[in-house]
């Protein structure tokens, strides 16, 4: 049975092991903070090097079991969400008699459901014993909805399917981020989140290539190619979701492919990583929400991410916009892949370099300069070469900063854990709403002046919000340097004593 470390020899060993895992030097305040952390019985008597080796093995096995599953699920999430764009190229509008406005509505209504159920779904995921299986079950459910979309014959039927698809897909991204956070300490979260996020870009990249293959079934068995697109991708999602549910990790204590020491180490390092003296359990969820709403950092970072998502709204119509280059359907779908493949490398590189330099604002503003340039090119010409160059620049330039903004939210929200959770949920919900109204901007093909004009303004806005956030946090750091009170939204006394400074 685990026991509280209270003798000097054991305490010294605990300090060394935790220091190796966290990468931080312990001081007297750190030691006091970790006095109540219980060392599992299976790890007692081991040296720091032995614990570090167990930690490394456990992390490697966890990476193999969890991250590929979540990346594949995110790919499926985007395939089933974005295949309506490929369906448009395959003739869905003519086959069921859609107007441009009705088609745009079918794109938009998915996000109404998607936004509304994110917070309730994550509340469920955080309370149940099998959050991983829950995510896989919801994956199979949205796959079934996607497959049913292949049977629609009217605007009403398509709109209803898209609403339900939004409800079912709402469980994935916030649930996946929560699931990752239940296994990895803070210092390992940024890279895993970046890896997870590349799944969406791979889904965007290969969505068109999948469509090319599936659309060859056009009129097979009396069905149009776009119907096969929904059916095949939906069935694939159901099958993989159910398969993954059989082995996806749910919680550190229940991973079947790890031995007892490795399971105990995963739990122990999280206890060390999250131990705190700020009495978070005494703060209610409603009080945490009020604190988040009152914190200026919430709205600065919300504005930054909101501008980011507005600028990224073009991805909902990417194949349609690329079709304006007047290539054949097959070529159009094929050339949508390279921009997203480039985007994957940009996300990982920008996230890695930002962590290495411990810097945020420049890694947000810098890529958005390229977003501005790309939108200027797109809005001023329809010539093939410059327009496609702009299409290649866009995803990498506005998705690479997304991970940095999400990381900035995590590191800047000081206060009780419940406040940080409410702030993240609030920002994530609000910042997904542009996907609803931006769908109506794509009406003036092939130039789409309104859409690219709004995206251009949003890119400039993202730079301005990043600058405003940098300025505000810099002033807070200057106050900390002078020993001044930073107010109720600043770091705790314990954090100040440990030399806390906001990342800039």
């Amino acid at each position: 049975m685990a026991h509280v470390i209270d003798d000097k020899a054991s305490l010294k060993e605990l300090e060394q092991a935790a220091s190796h895992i966290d990468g931080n030097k312990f001081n007297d305040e750190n030691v006091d903070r970790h006095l109540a952390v219980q060392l599992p019985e299976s790890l007692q008597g081991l040296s720091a090097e032995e614990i570090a080796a167990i930690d490394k093995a456990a992390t490697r096995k966890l990476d193999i079991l969890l991250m590929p599953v979540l990346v594949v699920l995110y790919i499926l999430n985007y395939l089933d969400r974005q295949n309506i764009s490929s369906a448009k190229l395959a003739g869905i509008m003519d086959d069921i008699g859609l107007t441009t406005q009705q088609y745009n509505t079918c794109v938009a209504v998915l996000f109404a459901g998607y936004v509304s159920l994110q917070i309730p779904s994550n509340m469920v995921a955080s309370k149940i014993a099998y959050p991983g299986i829950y995510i896989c079950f919801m994956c199979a459910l949205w796959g079934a909805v996607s497959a049913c979309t292949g049977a629609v014959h009217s605007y009403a039927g398509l709109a209803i399917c898209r609403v339900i698809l939004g409800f079912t897909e709402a469980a994935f991204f916030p649930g996946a981020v929560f699931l990752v956070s239940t296994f990895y300490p803070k210092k390992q979260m940024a890279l895993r989140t970046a890896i997870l996020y590349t799944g969406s870009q791979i889904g965007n990249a290969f969505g068109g290539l999948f469509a090319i293959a599936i659309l060859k079934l056009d009129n097979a068995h009396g069905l149009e190619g776009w119907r096969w697109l929904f059916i095949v991708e939906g069935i694939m999602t159901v099958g993989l979701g159910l398969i993954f549910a059989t082995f996806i990790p749910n919680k550190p204590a229940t991973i079947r492919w790890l031995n007892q020491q490795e399971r105990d180490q995963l739990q122990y390092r999280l206890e060390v990583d999250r131990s705190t003296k700020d009495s978070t359990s005494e703060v209610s969820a409603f009080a945490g929400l009020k604190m988040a709403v009152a914190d200026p950092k919430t709205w600065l970072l919300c504005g930054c991410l909101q501008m980011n998502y507005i600028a990224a709204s073009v991805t909902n119509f990417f194949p349609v916009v690329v079709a304006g280059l007047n290539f054949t359907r097959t070529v159009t779908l094929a050339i949508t892949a390279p921009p997203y493949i480039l985007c994957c490398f940009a996300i990982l590189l920008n996230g890695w370099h930002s962590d290495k330099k411990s810097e945020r604002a420049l890694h947000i503003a810098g890529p958005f300069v390229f977003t501005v340039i790309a939108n200027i090119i797109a809005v001023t010409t329809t010539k093939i070469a410059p327009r496609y160059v702009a299409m290649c620049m866009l995803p990498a330039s506005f998705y690479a900063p997304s991970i940095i903004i999400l990381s900035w939210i995590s590191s800047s929200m000081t206060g009780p854990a419940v406040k940080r959770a409410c702030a993240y949920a609030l920002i994530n919900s609000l910042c997904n709403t542009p996907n609803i109204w931006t769908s109506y901007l794509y009406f003036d093909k092939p130039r789409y002046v309104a859409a690219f004009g709004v995206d251009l303004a949003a890119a400039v806005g993202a730079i301005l919000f990043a600058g405003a956030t940098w300025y505000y946090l810099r002033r807070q750091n200057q106050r900390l340097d002078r020993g001044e009170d930073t107010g109720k939204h600043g770091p705790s006394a314990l954090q100040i004593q440990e030399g806390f400074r906001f990342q800039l």
Side-chain angles (χ1 to χ4, degrees), residues 200-329:
S200 63
Q201 307 316 308
I202 296 172
N204 280 325
F206 289 96
L209 301 181
F210 276 128
I212 292 173
I214 296 172
L215 291 177
K216 291 181 179 180
L217 296 173
D218 197 9
N219 291 319
H221 304 288
L223 294 179
E224 296 90 346
W226 62 266
R227 295 187 188 274
W228 283 113
L229 186 65
F230 289 113
I231 293 170
V232 172
E233 290 185 354
I235 292 174
M236 179 174 62
T237 300
V238 172
L240 289 174
L242 295 177
I243 292 171
F244 291 154
T246 64
F247 66 86
I248 188 173
N250 289 283
K251 293 185 177 180
T254 60
I255 303 180
R256 289 173 288 170
W257 289 270
L258 273 65
N259 61 41
Q260 189 61 48
Q261 285 185 324
E262 291 167 342
R263 288 194 292 267
D264 287 344
Q265 171 58 22
L266 289 181
Q267 296 180 85
Y268 168 66
R269 72 180 186 181
L270 287 172
E271 291 174 1
V272 172
D273 186 63
R274 298 174 184 178
S275 60
T276 180
K277 295 174 66 175
D278 63 358
S279 302
T280 57
S281 60
E282 298 177 8
V283 179
S284 68
F286 182 69
L289 179 60
K290 288 173 61 177
M291 294 170 69
V293 171
D295 193 335
K297 297 190 295 293
T298 299
W299 302 108
L300 286 168
L301 291 164
C302 182
C304 197
L305 193 61
Q306 181 95 327
M307 295 297 105
N308 189 167
Y309 285 178
I310 292 173
S313 64
V314 67
T315 57
N316 295 325
F317 288 83
F318 207 71
V320 177
V321 173
V322 174
L325 301 178
N326 294 319
F327 290 110
T328 64
R329 184 181 73 183

Side-chain angles (χ1 to χ4, degrees), residues 145-162:
V145 174
S146 181
C148 290
T149 307
V152 301
H153 289 85
S154 66
Y155 162 62
L158 181 60
I160 291 171
C161 283
R162 295 286 293 179

Side-chain angles (χ1 to χ4, degrees), residues 470-484 486 501-502 504:
W470 175 87
Y471 179 75
Y472 177 81
L473 295 180
R474 179 171 174 268
R475 290 194 61 185
Q476 293 295 95
N477 283 345
Q478 290 173 341
R479 294 176 66 180
L480 290 171
D481 291 338
R482 294 193 296 266
E484 298 177 3
T486 54
R501 293 296 183 272
F502 292 103
L504 301 177

Side-chain angles (χ1 to χ4, degrees), residues 7 14 20 31 50 73-74 93 106 129 153 168 248 258 271 284 296 325 376 394 406 411 414 450 459 478:
D7 63 279
L14 171 60
H20 182 89
V31 173
E50 290 172 322
L73 290 180
Y74 209 0
M93 293 184 66
C106 289
H153 289 85
T168 52
I248 188 173
L258 273 65
E271 291 174 1
S284 68
L325 301 178
I376 290 174
L394 281 173
L406 293 171
S411 64
T414 52
Q478 290 173 341

